[in-house]
Amino acid sequence: MGQLRADEFDRFVAARWSALLHLARLLTGGDRHRAEDLLQEALVKLWFAWPKVAEQAPEAYVRRVLARAAARSARRRWWGEHPVDQLPDPPGVGDETAAVDERTRLEAVLALLSARQRAAVVLRYYQDLPERDVAEVLGCPVGTARSLTARGVARLRQLLAEAVEPVE
């Protein structure tokens, strides 16, 4: 790949890293480490496809790779974690704001949805994609994407209503 293409890729990654990481985190149910691995995998695939997608829609390409990789990852039973003898220090008490608590609560509840429902809800409402694009990213008919989204939102409402206290 020429230096110009590499520079374009670097600029894209620098500009969109935070948003893509947040999307990956939502798709993995709030697991930051899995989200970072997922995003890294997606960006490697983007690097190889960059000459073809750079002029079109690289973010849509990464979104599709992330959604599919998250679904594959959710089906795995083991991700390579190893138990440790000593746990890290817990975060300080009282240093979190209400917004962070609410976001944590939402991420925890999102993690309880199936991988496809979670992907549909995140793509539709966080990424604000139209139903047609959600269906395209998930590789399913529009009706299925609509159904996954509706059932996911209904389940989220039920879980949030049941959880009186914020999840830590």
Side-chain angles (χ1 to χ4, degrees):
M1 184 182 314
Q3 185 60 36
L4 180 61
R5 291 272 190 204
D7 290 342
E8 290 174 4
F9 178 81
D10 290 345
R11 280 193 299 275
F12 171 78
V13 171
R16 301 302 302 152
W17 174 265
S18 179
L20 292 171
L21 180 60
H22 193 67
L23 171 61
R25 190 170 176 189
L26 291 172
L27 290 172
T28 59
D31 186 337
R32 181 175 177 84
H33 300 291
R34 278 185 47 215
E36 288 172 350
D37 291 344
L38 194 70
L39 181 56
Q40 188 67 32
E41 177 184 335
L43 291 175
V44 167
K45 289 182 180 184
L46 177 64
W47 170 260
F48 288 109
W50 187 255
K52 291 180 264 182
V53 300
E55 299 300 322
Q56 298 170 6
E59 188 156 356
Y61 179 86
V62 173
R63 226 184 348 253
R64 176 180 289 167
V65 171
L66 283 172
R68 290 180 179 175
R72 269 193 322 273
S73 175
R75 288 191 296 265
R76 276 191 229 148
R77 294 188 184 272
W78 184 67
W79 291 281
E81 293 99 4
H82 299 285
V84 295
D85 292 330
Q86 187 174 6
L87 294 175
D89 292 332
V93 179
D95 61 344
E96 297 180 283
T97 65
V100 173
D101 289 340
E102 188 62 23
R103 185 172 54 231
T104 302
R105 180 175 173 236
L106 182 58
E107 286 176 350
V109 173
L110 268 172
L112 299 176
L113 297 179
S114 72
R116 285 179 54 104
Q117 282 181 345
R118 183 172 50 244
V121 169
V122 168
L123 291 170
R124 180 72 177 105
Y125 295 107
Y126 175 71
Q127 288 285 298
D128 201 25
L129 294 180
E131 291 171 337
R132 179 181 45 81
D133 292 351
V134 172
E136 185 180 321
V137 168
L138 294 178
C140 64
V142 174
T144 302
R146 198 176 289 143
S147 174
L148 286 167
T149 304
R151 289 181 182 156
V153 168
R155 181 77 175 130
L156 274 176
R157 286 184 180 137
Q158 175 190 6
L159 291 168
L160 287 170
E162 291 172 1
V164 176
E165 293 291 323
V167 178
E168 293 185 27

